[in-house]
Amino acid sequence: MSDIPKFDVLPEHIGIIMDGNGRWAKQRGLKRTEGHKEGAKVFKRICEYAADIGIKYLTFYAFSTENWKRPPEEVSVIMDIFRDYLGEAEERQEENRQKQLRMRFIGIREGIPEDIQILMDQLEKNSDDKNKTVVNLAINYGGRSELVNAVKKISKKVASGELSAEDIDEEMISSNLYTANQPDPDIIIRPSGEYRLSNFMIWQAAYSEFWYSDVLWPDFTEEHLISVLRDYEKRNRRFGGI
Ligand code: FPP
């Protein structure tokens, strides 16, 4: 799509739960993993289109701390998809420079195959001067484990006397999450007809708007994103006020 529409207000940060890949594949008599491959293509397209529209922060939920429970073959194909994407991004550094996407990975690195961890580190490092859009890719991510991690970091400072328990406030918790220094998501998109957060950004989503749809992630298009943004223009966010 070449036309970039204009909006009266834009969310600064959009969270996206990429769901429905398995069902998309099943509907076509394909293996579930084919749905993930198609989902990865949609991730790349939507990421670039949202950046072109002017969205400053995007967070995509790609693999949760609970997704390791899936059959090993499926986990292995998802890891292959990450590996291919990261390797490709490394190879296309020049092209990526023009896109100005700053890539960040949120979640627990431990447990992810080591070669993928190395590619993640490289891509973060090679894109840290990019300034159009920050793209957080949540891999081995869980909102509860993110909070546990933040509580541990803060507790160590209290134990060492660097901080007093009385100093702990919401701002301190936010700044010890993976998304430190980023605005909370203004809107969270969940396709595939499910109506839950599934451990995605549970602290940051306190005041997020939600957008649900029956569309399966591999069928999510630029037009769906436009309709999310048109819908957002009409929302009246009160943050607990009137
Ligand atoms: C949920 O759909 C999807 C996943 C657990 C994997 C998502 C991964 C991708 C889209 C690939 C991302 C790739 C890159 C490069 C970021 P599901 O399998 O639970 O679908 P279902 O509910 O229909 O079974």
Side-chain angles (χ1 to χ4, degrees):
M1 266 182 80
S2 53
D3 274 1
I4 305 293
K6 295 268 177 286
F7 298 89
D8 294 338
V9 274
L10 270 183
E12 219 184 336
H13 187 168
I14 303 181
I16 304 182
I17 301 175
M18 300 185 283
D19 196 13
N21 298 342
R23 276 164 285 169
W24 181 91
K26 200 173 165 206
Q27 282 174 1
R28 288 161 178 77
L30 300 169
K31 287 201 287 191
R32 292 177 50 82
T33 47
E34 293 305 310
H36 297 316
K37 289 179 192 163
E38 205 56 34
K41 289 186 204 159
V42 174
F43 153 75
K44 284 190 262 184
R45 265 206 349 255
I46 293 300
C47 202
E48 287 176 22
Y49 190 64
D52 287 343
I53 287 177
I55 307 299
K56 293 286 173 211
Y57 296 87
L58 293 162
T59 301
F60 290 88
Y61 203 7
F63 195 83
S64 75
T65 43
E66 290 74 37
N67 285 151
W68 298 106
K69 291 186 223 148
R70 294 186 175 214
E73 314 81 73
E74 180 168 341
V75 171
S76 164
V77 172
I78 294 176
M79 292 299 144
D80 286 343
I81 295 173
F82 294 151
R83 192 177 281 111
D84 287 350
Y85 168 73
L86 295 166
E88 205 181 282
E90 267 304 298
E91 278 165 29
R92 294 202 191 147
Q93 274 199 50
E94 188 45 51
E95 198 180 313
N96 289 337
R97 227 181 293 284
Q98 290 154 19
K99 291 185 199 145
Q100 288 291 317
L101 301 183
R102 181 170 181 182
M103 299 299 301
R104 301 282 318 275
F105 296 93
I106 63 171
I108 307 170
R109 292 288 165 99
E110 210 176 47
I112 297 172
E114 271 179 33
D115 65 312
I116 297 184
Q117 290 188 39
I118 293 170
L119 289 167
M120 288 160 87
D121 290 342
Q122 278 170 354
L123 189 53
E124 277 188 343
K125 196 164 131 282
N126 291 334
S127 68
D128 70 3
D129 57 342
K130 312 281 189 294
N131 56 22
K132 188 160 136 197
T133 298
V134 172
V135 180
N136 298 312
L137 201 44
I139 298 182
N140 198 16
Y141 172 88
R144 287 186 174 181
S145 97
E146 180 180 32
L147 274 168
V148 168
N149 181 52
V151 169
K152 280 186 183 159
K153 284 201 272 179
I154 297 169
S155 305
K156 281 181 191 155
K157 290 187 185 160
V158 173
S160 72
E162 196 183 323
L163 268 184
S164 140
E166 295 309 313
D167 296 332
I168 301 171
D169 58 11
E170 294 184 9
E171 179 47 41
M172 189 180 294
I173 293 178
S174 294
S175 64
N176 278 283
L177 299 177
Y178 302 125
T179 50
N181 303 317
Q182 299 187 14
D184 288 337
D186 300 293
I187 187 158
I188 292 179
I189 297 174
R190 178 148 199 171
S192 95
E194 309 286 359
Y195 303 91
R196 52 180 177 264
L197 263 185
S198 301
N199 208 8
F200 181 61
M201 303 189 100
I202 51 174
W203 173 273
Q204 299 92 327
Y207 286 102
S208 304
E209 298 287 320
F210 283 92
W211 188 90
Y212 298 108
S213 161
D214 287 340
V215 64
L216 302 174
W217 176 249
D219 288 327
F220 192 92
T221 61
E222 287 83 346
E223 283 75 17
H224 289 108
L225 183 65
I226 293 170
S227 91
V228 173
L229 297 173
R230 289 284 171 233
D231 198 350
Y232 183 81
E233 277 182 317
K234 294 186 227 112
R235 306 255 180 129
N236 174 12
R237 302 184 72 202
R238 293 191 297 275
F239 299 96
I242 49 170

